Amino acid sequence: MLRIKLFPGAHDFLSLAQGSFDPKGPVARGMAELWWVMVAISVVVFLIVLVALWYAAFRRRDAVAESKTDDVSLSPSRWIVWGGVVMPLVVLTVIFALTLSAMRSITPSLPSDPVVIEVVGNQWWWEIRYEGHEFATANEIHLPVGEPVEIRLTSADVIHSFWVPNLGGKMDALPDYENSLVLQADEPGDYRGQCAEFCGLQHAKMGILAIARPRAEFDEWLAAQALPAREPSGALEMRGRDVFLEAGCPQCHTIRGTSANGDTGPDLTHVAARQTLAAVTIPNTPEHLSNWIADPDSVKSGTEMDPSPLGKEELEALTAYLGALR
Ligand code: CUA
């Protein structure tokens, strides 16, 4: 199993297995199986070519030297017909048929009322919306286990590519055209994904976390996300909300239930309910959150988020407020 460990002691989500050889759903499995069959066929063809090469280099010379007669069983024209026409035709036909059947598994028929998730690529994060619901979230895609889920992809700027290898295929997110793909997870789990099309400075830190949960838990999550932001409790959090509203954060971020309704950065209404920050770059802990707000460039250089010239007390209050937005 391919395991990505970015640095020793990394948080769990950074070391999640991320690979198409370890399929965790029928869509990914269809592709992995096709890949292995193609590898097996390629190995057989390669071995046949090696044997033929060996035969051409040595056998014929020996035969000619020993008997002065050409005892090679196949004439050159037969070699061309069998090796150059018949064999490729058979191999390619078999692969074509297998590909067609794999394509069917990649686009399984959706239930009559499928979960449809609209994903928009941004430099360098993902906006996520659920059809039929008003809320927006970012970077972490929740889906119900065992159900094919439709992902509709677009981009707000350049071309990105959406890829959660353990669950499904790779698909471009384009600015002016909607692409779609299907993901399905067999079992509950967190599956890391990645933007797979170079899209600028922080392409490598444009991660995705697909979070598959049993249907009841998924529905609970949906209902919680649809609520407006939790009211601050206590003086520190109240102060934090004031800091948030006055420090320029609302120019880019929305927190439903407050006057903040910016739309160029991730919606923060339930930011504390996410496991990660900065597009699956850092764990969502108070220390990382505070550091990310104070000096975003040190976490993700080139990020569109400006550093906040906040005092220690303001930063502490802001972190307490955002950290409570579950
Ligand atoms: Cu977005 Cu690479």
Side-chain angles (χ1 to χ4, degrees):
M1 188 198 297
L2 209 63
R3 210 158 251 286
I4 293 181
K5 191 91 177 171
L6 294 186
F7 43 87
H11 198 263
D12 281 352
F13 69 86
L14 288 175
S15 58
L16 282 175
Q18 177 183 301
S20 21
F21 297 153
D22 184 23
K24 296 292 189 191
V27 181
R29 196 171 305 113
M31 282 182 286
E33 283 169 3
L34 176 65
W35 191 85
W36 283 114
V37 170
M38 285 172 74
V39 167
I41 292 175
S42 308
V43 167
V44 170
V45 169
F46 182 64
L47 290 177
I48 290 173
V49 170
L50 280 187
V51 168
L53 194 66
W54 176 84
Y55 189 84
F58 300 107
R59 178 73 180 83
R60 189 183 155 89
R61 198 191 307 152
D62 296 348
V64 171
E66 277 167 22
S67 64
K68 301 280 180 197
T69 58
D70 190 350
D71 72 343
V72 176
S73 51
L74 279 180
S75 66
S77 60
R78 279 190 174 173
W79 267 108
I80 291 169
V81 170
W82 283 99
V85 180
V86 176
M87 199 167 80
L89 208 66
V90 170
V91 169
L92 293 179
T93 306
V94 168
I95 290 178
F96 181 64
L98 292 171
T99 304
L100 287 182
S101 112
M103 280 168 75
R104 217 174 307 145
S105 73
I106 290 167
T107 50
S109 53
L110 290 160
S112 58
D113 188 18
V115 174
V116 177
I117 309 176
E118 291 154 10
V119 177
V120 183
N122 287 261
Q123 284 174 316
W124 292 278
W125 61 282
W126 305 90
E127 183 182 66
I128 299 156
R129 291 173 181 277
Y130 288 75
E131 200 181 63
H133 298 266
E134 288 301 317
F135 69 85
T137 179
N139 305 317
E140 297 184 3
I141 298 181
H142 287 244
L143 60 152
V145 169
E147 292 178 36
V149 165
E150 187 180 3
I151 309 277
R152 294 193 186 149
L153 276 172
T154 53
S155 165
D157 36 53
V158 299
I159 300 175
H160 303 271
S161 177
F162 178 94
W163 193 32
V164 184
N166 300 85
L167 299 187
K170 188 191 288 177
M171 184 62 79
D172 277 357
L174 305 170
D176 299 315
Y177 185 82
E178 187 181 270
N179 271 334
S180 75
L181 82 161
V182 176
L183 292 188
Q184 185 175 340
D186 284 337
E187 45 194 84
D190 298 350
Y191 306 97
R192 199 185 184 284
Q194 174 65 41
C195 178
E197 175 95 30
F198 181 72
C199 55
L201 203 55
Q202 283 302 349
H203 154 71
K205 289 182 178 171
M206 189 168 168
I208 306 156
L209 200 59
I211 300 170
R213 294 290 182 267
R215 183 71 201 205
E217 217 174 300
F218 169 75
D219 286 338
E220 236 169 73
W221 176 85
L222 270 185
Q225 290 288 314
L227 297 173
R230 174 183 169 281
E231 283 296 309
S233 70
L236 188 64
E237 289 180 20
M238 301 262 246
R239 170 85 181 112
R241 183 170 64 181
D242 293 342
V243 171
F244 181 87
L245 294 174
E246 286 157 17
C249 311
Q251 284 170 24
C252 301
H253 297 287
T254 290
I255 293 183
R256 279 180 294 113
T258 73
S259 59
N261 61 357
D263 62 357
T264 52
D267 186 303
L268 302 178
T269 306
H270 296 288
V271 64
R274 294 177 208 148
Q275 297 179 39
T276 65
L277 295 170
V280 198
T281 300
I282 46 174
N284 192 0
T285 63
E287 300 75 45
H288 282 283
L289 175 60
S290 165
N291 188 34
W292 172 228
I293 296 167
D295 188 8
D297 235 45
S298 70
V299 175
K300 206 164 164 178
S301 89
T303 176
E304 299 285 330
M305 182 150 110
D306 293 328
S308 324
L310 297 174
K312 191 167 172 293
E313 175 269 329
E314 291 171 311
L315 189 59
E316 200 181 313
L318 180 55
T319 307
Y321 170 58
L322 293 175
L325 293 180
R326 293 202 62 80

